[in-house]
């Protein structure tokens, strides 16, 4: 029997979206308590096409598309959609239990608040690697009472987020992890936030970034064990050298006193989600980079939420590059998609300016039929946008150095687009409560508006009043100017490898419709949206390079007993409750898996699987929950094992090293430590079979 739990904590202990105040403080610099950065007046255009045919009716006709005008006004778009969508208005017939798709045949985990990773019956788990475990040759064992920056630079970093598990040989694979941010209160005994020491700051620099570590798989189970000191093991930190590539490289906007060329950056910060590429690299999104910088002004902020006073961590006391008053361009060198080659430990990671600068949640790739990568990426901010980049260069196959060097340039030339969505229901039917419009779905059409195109010989802006360099460095302003659709925190975006449909996680937006903020529209149909939703996008002709698309809301999250929720039309009395979708991934069968961040239903965050096709489309089941204060991140869903990153366990307001809120993963008397967990079936069979 599905159950909900009472909400955890008092209003003073949690922030909008369900995160603890402590998480908001260290992860995003209390973004939800600042003024909304997007004050543009982009309007909802759902009533422009009132009286037109519904998207569903058009979909059942021939795939005919009226392309949007160059100004970006969206009109009707047609494309192939499953017939199951047509039953949404009248009710989805209840399928038999025998129709549960492969990959989702497990008993759903009930909502709970256990200080543990809770998994279905018949499954086992192990902690693969924890913060501080040595991975690089010469790194010492973790000693939490005697940490040093030199030690941390060779140890697994803090707050693992995105995960990738890449093939190597035999039972070995390369595990790549992001380390999004540090929580010094849980890292250092007796931490004084007003007066951090240089050593503490340098440890934090070393705990950010990326880790690559070879892991060995058990032939009989899904257990993974790190291989210490493997030659491919590597750490990337806040001081590692990066190569700036693409159309903004060398721009005056990126030049600093430490790098007068504007082509070499040091470090990567707040890496959130990411993606893997078909050419064997990983992509990482620099998200809430603004919080690390101090002393900005309205002239230097440019709509990115950079503080005017001291930063939370006080890094500007120890390195002037974090002081915008002294180095106004340093902040322009963060907020990009980073590319990392885990197979070449001597390679220099890259920051791709052609994908734009904003709070990237991540980046995922789908190839066109002629082999050009298309990268999808979201800007995780209230009322901001989601984007795609279409490369003009084709991927080459092979493993020679020349081939790998070519493929590392694929994301430097092409066109950057931003999404504009149009609802197909009259605006009067979108009342902000989440009530479905008369046609039975939140759906419509959309267009990809070009912002700028980069070539080998330069770049061209498509935004009036902005140069190409300005578009790529101040991408949010470009989205404002062309009237992109304001979304409810677009986070991870992932194309389904089986169908090509693209899924966008929209975590929440408690500011929607509040005060003078933008009110509900069809793509974001609830005011004060605390639970979020998942959008399903179908590119015209199912071609990722298309400039028009159809969309619908696949899930509207929350308590299934709430009439404002929606699960692709599936009966709601048997689905798991879900709140605040964040990262998404696919299993080998095409099922969508969703991890949550800041769930608002009384249970801990978790990982959920949901069918995207067939009779049980929309049937959502919880696979696991994470410990107290933690967020579920990075899921990797394989045939035989599931990996999750348990991020910021114990991050509850008031918690410290001396008074921890969680004892995970090693029990009482130990430091709480972010870690990676593997889950597998005890009988050795496939996940969900």
């Amino acid at each position: 029997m599905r159950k909900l739990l009472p909400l955890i904590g008092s209003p003073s202990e949690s922030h909008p979206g369900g995160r603890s105040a402590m998480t908001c403080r260290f992860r995003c610099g209390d973004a939800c308590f600042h003024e909304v950065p997007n004050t543009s007046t982009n309007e909802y255009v759902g009533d422009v096409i009132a009286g037109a045919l519904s998207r569903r009716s058009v979909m059942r006709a021939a795939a005919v598309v009226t392309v949007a005008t160059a100004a970006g006004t969206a009109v009707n778009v047609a494309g192939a959609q499953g017939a199951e969508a047509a039953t949404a208005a009248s009710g989805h017939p209840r399928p038999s239990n025998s129709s549960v798709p492969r990959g989702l045949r497990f008993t759903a985990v009930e909502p709970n608040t256990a200080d543990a990773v809770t998994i279905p019956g018949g499954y086992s788990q192990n902690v693969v690697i924890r913060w501080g475990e040595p991975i690089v040759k010469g790194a010492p064992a973790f000693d939490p009472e005697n940490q040093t920056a030199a030690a941390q630079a060779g140890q697994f970093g803090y707050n693992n987020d995105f995960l990738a598990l890449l093939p190597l040989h035999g039972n070995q694979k390369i595990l790549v992890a992001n380390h999004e941010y540090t929580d010094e209160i849980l890292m250092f005994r007796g931490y004084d936030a007003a007066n951090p020491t240089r050593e503490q700051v340098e440890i934090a620099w070393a705990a950010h970034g990326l880790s690559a570590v070879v892991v060995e798989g058990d032939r009989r189970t899904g257990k993974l064990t790190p291989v210490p000191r493997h030659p491919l093991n590597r750490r990337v930190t806040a001081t590692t050298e990066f190569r700036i590539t693409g159309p903004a490289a060398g721009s005056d906007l990126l030049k600093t006193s430490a790098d007068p060329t504007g082509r070499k950056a040091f470090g990567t910060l707040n890496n959130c989600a990411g993606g893997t590429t078909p050419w064997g690299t990983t992509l990482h999104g620099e998200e809430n980079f603004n919080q690390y910088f101090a002393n900005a002004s309205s002239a230097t902020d440019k709509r990115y939420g950079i503080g005017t006073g001291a930063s939370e961590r006080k890094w500007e006391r120890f390195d002037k590059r974090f002081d915008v008053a002294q180095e106004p361009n340093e902040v322009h060198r963060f907020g990009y998609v980073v590319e990392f080659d885990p197979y070449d430990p001597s390679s220099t990671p890259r920051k791709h300016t052609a994908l734009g600068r904003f709070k990237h949640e991540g980046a995922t790739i789908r190839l066109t039929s002629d082999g050009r990568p298309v990268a999808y990426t979201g800007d995780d901010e209230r009322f901001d946008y989601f984007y795609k980049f279409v490369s003009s260069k084709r991927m080459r196959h092979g493993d020679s150095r020349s081939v790998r060097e070519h493929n590392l340039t694929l994301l430097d030339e092409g066109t950057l687009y931003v999404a504009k969505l149009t609802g197909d229901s009259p605006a009067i039917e979108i009342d902000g409560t989440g009530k479905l419009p008369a046609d039975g779905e939140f759906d419509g059409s959309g267009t990809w508006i070009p912002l700028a195109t980069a070539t080998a010989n330069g770049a061209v802006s498509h935004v009036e009043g902005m140069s190409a360099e300005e578009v790529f460095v101040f991408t949010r302003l470009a989205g404002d100017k062309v009237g992109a659709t304001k979304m409810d925190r677009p986070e991870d975006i992932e194309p389904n490898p089986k169908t090509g449909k693209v899924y966008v996680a929209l975590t929440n937006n408690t500011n929607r419709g509040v005060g003078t903020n933008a009110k509900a529209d069809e793509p974001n149909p609830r005011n004060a949206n605390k639970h979020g939703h998942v959008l399903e996008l179908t590119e015209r002709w199912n071609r990722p390079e298309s400039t028009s698309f159809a969309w619908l809301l696949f899930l509207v999250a929350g308590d299934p007993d709430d009439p404002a929720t929606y699960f692709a039309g599936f009966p709601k009395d048997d689905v798991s409750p879900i709140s605040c979708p964040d990262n998404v991934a696919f299993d080998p069968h095409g099922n969508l898996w969703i991890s949550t961040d800041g769930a608002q239903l009384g249970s801990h965050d978790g990982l959920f699987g949901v069918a995207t096709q067939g009779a049980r489309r929309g049937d959502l089941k919880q696979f696991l929950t994470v410990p107290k204060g933690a967020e579920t991140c990075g899921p990797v869903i394989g045939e035989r094992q599931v990996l999750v990153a348990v991020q910021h366990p114990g991050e509850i307001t008031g918690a410290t090293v001396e008074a921890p809120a969680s004892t995970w993963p090693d029990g009482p008397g130990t430091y709480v430590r972010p870690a990676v967990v593997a889950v597998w079936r005890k009988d050795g069979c496939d996940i969900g079979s």
Side-chain angles (χ1 to χ4, degrees), residues 540-622:
R540 183 192 182 194
W541 310 119
N542 202 17
R543 294 176 180 170
E545 69 272 31
S546 297
T547 56
S548 53
F549 57 88
W551 65 268
L552 59 83
L553 295 193
F554 176 65
L555 296 177
V556 180
D559 178 356
D561 291 335
D562 183 345
T565 59
Y566 177 75
F567 293 78
F570 192 82
K572 297 194 294 181
D573 57 348
D574 196 36
V575 300
S576 295
I578 184 173
S579 178
C580 302
D582 188 337
N583 299 144
V584 292
F586 287 92
D587 66 21
H589 315 289
N591 301 306
L592 178 67
W593 290 66
I594 306 167
S595 62
T596 65
D597 171 18
Q600 284 275 286
L601 294 172
S603 175
H604 286 176
D605 280 309
L607 178 66
F608 302 75
V610 59
T612 61
Q613 302 182 83
R616 300 191 76 89
R617 172 178 159 91
D619 184 7
L620 180 131
K621 301 171 68 175
Q622 183 154 12

Side-chain angles (χ1 to χ4, degrees), residues 336-347:
Y336 297 103
V337 170
V338 169
E339 185 168 12
F340 173 70
D341 185 353
Y343 293 100
D344 182 1
S346 66
S347 62

Side-chain angles (χ1 to χ4, degrees), residues 359-615:
K359 294 184 180 181
H360 288 273
E361 170 72 13
T364 54
I365 300 292
R366 184 183 173 200
L367 293 177
T368 65
S369 59
D370 62 352
R372 292 176 294 125
V374 176
Y376 295 92
T377 183
D379 186 352
D380 182 11
E381 188 86 72
R382 298 162 294 164
F383 303 108
D384 261 294
Y385 316 128
F386 65 93
Y387 302 77
K388 79 174 180 182
F389 172 82
V390 180
S391 178
S392 59
K393 302 175 71 172
R394 297 181 182 181
M395 172 185 157
R396 294 177 185 171
H397 295 275
D399 200 39
S400 68
R401 179 167 293 276
S402 63
V403 167
R404 294 190 70 80
E405 281 296 321
H406 168 81
N407 289 339
L408 285 170
T409 69
L410 293 175
L411 301 181
D412 292 332
E413 297 177 25
T415 300
L416 179 64
Y417 298 86
V418 69
K420 183 168 186 174
L421 285 70
T422 302
D424 71 354
S425 300
I428 196 172
E429 293 185 9
I430 310 302
D431 62 6
T433 67
K435 178 183 177 182
L436 289 171
D439 69 357
E441 281 188 324
F442 298 114
D443 59 356
S445 57
T447 186
W448 292 107
I449 306 173
L451 298 178
T453 299
T455 71
N457 299 316
V460 176
S461 170
H462 306 301
V463 180
E464 185 177 356
M466 295 184 73
S467 68
E469 289 180 356
E470 290 172 331
V471 169
F472 290 115
V473 176
F474 305 120
T475 311
R476 283 183 168 180
L477 294 177
D480 296 346
K481 283 181 173 288
V482 300
T485 299
K486 296 181 175 182
M487 305 297 291
D488 285 354
R489 288 187 57 205
E491 296 224 29
D492 206 5
I493 304 177
E494 192 93 20
N496 187 328
K498 296 290 186 181
T499 66
K501 295 180 187 294
V502 180
Y503 292 79
V504 183
L506 298 146
T507 295
N508 54 46
N509 184 356
T510 55
N511 288 76
R512 173 73 63 176
V514 176
T516 60
N517 293 319
K519 64 180 181 180
D521 55 21
E522 196 157 0
N524 307 277
R526 291 183 296 192
N527 289 328
N529 177 18
K530 66 180 180 179
H531 295 303
H533 47 283
V534 177
L535 181 146
E536 181 184 77
L537 183 154
T538 303
E539 298 276 23
R540 183 192 182 194
W541 310 119
N542 202 17
R543 294 176 180 170
E545 69 272 31
S546 297
T547 56
S548 53
F549 57 88
W551 65 268
L552 59 83
L553 295 193
F554 176 65
L555 296 177
V556 180
D559 178 356
D561 291 335
D562 183 345
T565 59
Y566 177 75
F567 293 78
F570 192 82
K572 297 194 294 181
D573 57 348
D574 196 36
V575 300
S576 295
I578 184 173
S579 178
C580 302
D582 188 337
N583 299 144
V584 292
F586 287 92
D587 66 21
H589 315 289
N591 301 306
L592 178 67
W593 290 66
I594 306 167
S595 62
T596 65
D597 171 18
Q600 284 275 286
L601 294 172
S603 175
H604 286 176
D605 280 309
L607 178 66
F608 302 75
V610 59
T612 61
Q613 302 182 83

